[in-house]
Every structure is written in structure tokens, then in C-alpha cells.
Amino acid sequence: MKIAILGGDGFVGWPTCLHLSEQGHEIHILDNLSRRWIDTELGVQSLTPMDSIQERCRIWHEVTGRRLNFHLIDLAKEYERLKSWLAEEKPDAVIHFAEQRAAPYSMKSDRHKVYTVNNNTNATHNLLAALVETGIDAHLLHLGTMGVYGYSSVGAAIPEGYLDVEVETLTGEKAQQEILYPTKPGSVYHMTKSLDQILFQFYAQNDGLRITDLHQGIVWGTHTDQTRRHEQLINRFDYDGDYGTVLNRFLIQAAIGHPLTVHGTGGQTRAFIHIQDSVRCIELALNEAPKSGERVRIFNQMTETHRVRDLAELVAKKTGAEIAFLPNPRKEAEENDLVVRNEQFLKLGLDPITLQEGLLDEVVEVARKYAHRIDRSRVPAVSAWTRDLGARVERDPEGRALRTVS
């Protein structure tokens, strides 16, 4: 297939490009490289040294003989360019990663909230409108998030996208209805993913677009089979308080002798998936496209759930690291359960990668190899959900700041 991968320079986008290219597909990367500019804004760099997207594509061709085609397009702002590109190239599938992905970044300030909504919502709607206008019958895969569901639990497993409900009619009879599972986003970022769901539902029913929405858990790990092929193909690896995912951050903290920073009680249960499983799930979903006129197909793209403090204890036991319990900058329940159904991917043949010893070691080894690139001052999570929570944020968990002598 000819596949357009929007946001193909990112944390999940890049290994997906390599994985699908190796499967024999013709890959086109559309990206505005905004994630690299955000690194500059935050004053932090990927733990792993990243070449330019052009150099990465060159190395992939040198190693494999396969080409990755890069196109610099801002999907949220350049609608006509996007529409013209689609009309000219006519991709068979479009994989949409092109959204600002960090909940903490989306809550840093009013400016970051506005940017996240403008970027994410406009990019999604521009894509949908362009697909309708060009008349291209491409399968659209979108990388969503488990966070649209929220993290509370009513004691039942979260289904894959849809919920069967019973409503009472005006005559007092009971009627069965199927609805999108009610969203309860925990940040502006998660809210944009909830808005995406409504846009997808409308365009599927109104225009017959074929859409798959992947509600993904927190990604951990570093390498895929393809990124191991050459050092310059290495994936980006975020460790800072805004973009670093929790398990990767714990493993990096352990590698550099930094306390494992658990916020609140650590009783929040999260869904997880290894980066290798993430790209494998995208491949599986790509081959299971809905037909025109069918409802949006929704998968829960996760393989296991863990409490944050349990993860910290696992890493501490493995590495000897200390655990520091800090005030929670997020507005969320201190304790929650999370039971999630993911039967669809299992039926399609996914053999899940769980928290394997060797893969945990791999992350620590990468962290130690590039430890000289870590700015310890960027490790703490300091973006707060409200002003009140911001006043209690711990910005110096290691006690390294200069103190006033009284």
C-alpha cells in the first residue's frame, strides 16, 4: 500500500514508518517537525541523539534499500497544501499521529492549552475535510488514547469504544441503544482526543469515511526490530517532566541515581504497551479496515495495567533506586482501578510483550549510555493542572538548589 504517516517524525510515528516500510509499503511522512521545536522551547533534548528527518530517511535507504519520502506540511494550518497532496498522491491509507501528545505540556499555561486545541483539532478536521473533498477512499487510522475514558472505574471493564445502554421511552418501555463510551478527559490533551472521536463519528456516518481509532495506553521501551538496525535510526526518548512517559522516566531516574518521583500516593492505575507492540498493533489494524458506511472501529491498544507505585517498587527493587513521594501536579483521584478489554487485538494474533526483565534492562542500558545528555533539572514534573496545585509542586526533589542561609 501507499501509506501517508502524519507525524512520522515522532516517538511512535518514526518506528511505525520503519516497521511498515520493511513490510514493503510505500511510506510518505508528513510532518511539520513541531516536536523538535518544542524541545527547543523547553530547553531539553531527546535522551537519544536524533539526526534530522532527512538524514534518518537517508540512513534507512542505505541500510535497507527502501525509501521514506518526507514532506514538510503543517496539517493544522496548511489545508490547501494537504488537500493538494492527497489529491495528487492518493494514498491507500493514512495513519494520523500528528497531534501534540503530552498531557502535562497541554496544561502548562493558557498558551499551551490554546496551542494544543488549535493544533490537534484543526489537524484532525482538516484531514477529514480533505479526504471527503478529494474523494479518496483511504483507510484512516488515528492514534488516540486510553485517557479519553478517564481513570475512574465503576467496577466494570472499559469496552472497546462502545457501550450498550438501556433508555426509557416516553411510553415507559425500554429501548436498547449503543453509544460511544462516555469520555472523561483528564487534561486538555485528552480533551482533544475526545473531540476527535466526535469528528470521526460524524464523518463516518455522513460521508462514509473508513476510520479506525486506536485508544492507546502509555508507551514504554526504546527499540523496535528496525531501530536496532543502525545507531542513527534510534528512536527519540523523552525523559523530561512534560513528555517522558512514567515507566521510561523511572528507568532513567534509576540509571542516573535520581529518586523515582511518584506523585501523590501512586495509586493511579495506568494502561501500558511496549513500543514494539504499538507498531505491531498498527500493522494489524491497518489490515482490518472497516467498510464505507460502517461505524468507526475502535481498539483498546494496550497490553497490561499497573499502579504507578507498583511500577516504582518494581524498578527500585531491580535497581536499588530510592522512591520519593511528591505532591501531585495533576487533578486526579489518588487511587483508582482500571479494567480494560482488548480482545480485538488478541483475536488478530497479537502476542503481548509484558514487563520483561530484558526489555527493562535495555531501557536502563540506553539511559546509562546517553546519561551525559541528561539535564537533571528537566526531570521533575512541574506542569500543574490548576494554580492551587501549582503552588504545591516540588521543583527540586533532589535538594540541589541553592538555599538561603537564615
Side-chain angles (χ1 to χ4, degrees):
M1 288 189 285
K2 178 186 285 188
I3 303 174
I5 300 184
L6 318 182
D9 188 46
F11 175 49
V12 181
W14 175 246
T16 300
C17 292
L18 302 188
H19 181 80
L20 295 178
S21 176
E22 190 160 70
Q23 298 292 316
H25 301 291
E26 178 184 334
I27 303 299
H28 292 261
I29 300 170
L30 281 66
D31 204 304
N32 67 352
L33 306 182
S34 60
R35 182 66 190 87
R36 295 176 184 250
W37 287 105
I38 289 172
D39 275 349
T40 302
E41 175 204 346
L42 297 177
V44 68
Q45 60 186 349
S46 166
L47 171 71
T48 51
M50 288 172 53
D51 284 312
S52 69
I53 183 63
Q54 292 87 350
E55 180 66 5
R56 295 168 106 183
C57 292
R58 187 191 70 79
I59 292 294
W60 178 246
H61 179 250
E62 183 178 283
V63 170
T64 68
R66 301 185 183 279
R67 293 194 181 277
L68 300 172
N69 306 280
F70 173 66
H71 311 273
L72 184 65
I73 299 178
D74 190 323
L75 305 174
K77 297 178 180 178
E78 297 181 303
Y79 172 73
E80 293 298 334
R81 283 193 65 208
L82 170 63
K83 185 173 70 173
S84 297
W85 188 90
L86 289 170
E88 181 177 346
E89 294 292 341
K90 296 180 174 57
D92 301 300
V94 178
I95 303 178
H96 179 20
F97 298 116
E99 295 179 275
Q100 192 291 107
R101 70 169 178 83
Y105 184 85
S106 77
M107 302 298 290
K108 287 183 78 67
S109 71
D110 58 341
R111 178 175 67 82
H112 294 87
K113 293 174 184 178
V114 169
Y115 167 75
T116 300
V117 172
N118 286 344
N119 182 80
N120 293 7
T121 306
N122 286 342
T124 297
H125 188 255
N126 283 352
L127 173 62
L128 293 167
L131 287 171
V132 172
E133 188 64 21
T134 56
I136 295 171
D137 183 32
H139 178 200
L140 169 59
L141 277 85
H142 171 255
L143 191 69
T145 172
M146 287 292 302
V148 298
Y149 299 128
Y151 290 108
S152 62
S153 174
V154 294
I158 293 175
E160 299 200 76
Y162 297 95
L163 183 66
D164 293 321
V165 298
E166 187 178 77
V167 296
E168 186 173 328
T169 67
L170 294 176
T171 60
E173 297 176 339
K174 302 295 183 183
Q176 303 297 319
Q177 194 171 11
E178 185 183 64
I179 63 172
L180 280 173
Y181 193 89
T183 65
K184 192 177 181 181
S187 72
V188 167
Y189 156 72
H190 292 107
M191 182 186 69
T192 64
K193 297 290 191 175
S194 299
L195 295 173
D196 286 343
Q197 285 197 121
I198 304 300
L199 291 171
F200 296 148
Q201 186 182 51
F202 172 78
Y203 276 96
Q205 69 187 23
N206 191 71
D207 298 286
L209 292 190
R210 300 184 297 123
I211 303 172
T212 297
D213 198 9
L214 307 174
H215 291 179
Q216 180 163 260
I218 297 170
V219 183
W220 67 282
T222 49
H223 288 298
T224 63
D225 292 341
Q226 293 74 37
T227 63
R228 291 188 183 93
R229 302 278 287 277
H230 192 286
E231 188 169 16
Q232 286 174 272
L233 296 176
I234 196 166
N235 199 21
R236 77 172 295 120
F237 195 100
D238 301 305
Y239 66 87
D240 63 286
D242 285 321
Y243 276 89
T245 59
V246 61
L247 179 54
N248 277 358
R249 277 168 48 81
F250 283 164
L251 292 166
I252 283 180
Q253 288 170 338
I256 65 172
H258 190 287
L260 310 184
T261 50
V262 176
H263 296 96
T265 66
Q268 307 86 7
T269 304
R270 307 287 199 228
F272 293 88
I273 185 169
H274 188 268
I275 186 68
Q276 181 69 54
D277 274 348
S278 185
V279 299
R280 173 68 174 140
C281 285
I282 291 163
E283 177 196 352
L284 292 171
L286 190 65
N287 297 323
E288 292 292 321
K291 294 181 174 63
S292 180
E294 290 184 354
R295 70 180 188 179
V296 177
R297 180 166 291 173
I298 299 175
F299 292 84
N300 287 339
Q301 188 164 303
M302 49 72 65
T303 54
E304 56 189 326
T305 60
H306 297 280
R307 290 191 189 275
V308 172
R309 62 170 172 258
D310 293 340
L311 287 179
E313 289 167 3
L314 173 69
V315 174
K317 183 177 180 181
K318 179 179 177 57
T319 64
E322 297 181 358
I323 300 176
F325 288 87
L326 306 178
N328 194 350
R330 298 182 182 229
K331 189 173 183 179
E332 62 182 351
E334 289 291 301
E335 304 276 336
N336 76 280
D337 295 315
L338 184 64
V339 183
V340 184
R341 300 183 67 173
N342 66 340
E343 288 94 341
Q344 290 187 89
F345 275 130
L346 297 178
K347 289 178 181 177
L348 292 178
L350 179 68
D351 182 16
I353 296 170
T354 54
L355 298 186
Q356 297 174 10
E357 184 95 3
L359 291 173
L360 294 173
D361 287 338
E362 180 180 86
V363 178
V364 175
E365 287 168 10
V366 169
R368 286 176 176 155
K369 180 177 181 179
Y370 297 109
H372 62 280
R373 294 171 54 85
I374 294 177
D375 180 349
R376 300 177 82 100
S377 69
R378 304 297 178 181
V379 172
V382 299
S383 296
W385 268 227
T386 67
R387 287 191 180 91
D388 290 343
L389 291 172
R392 300 197 294 270
V393 165
E394 175 55 70
R395 299 174 183 273
D396 183 29
E398 292 189 282
R400 287 173 168 252
L402 294 175
R403 307 293 179 181
T404 301
V405 177
S406 57

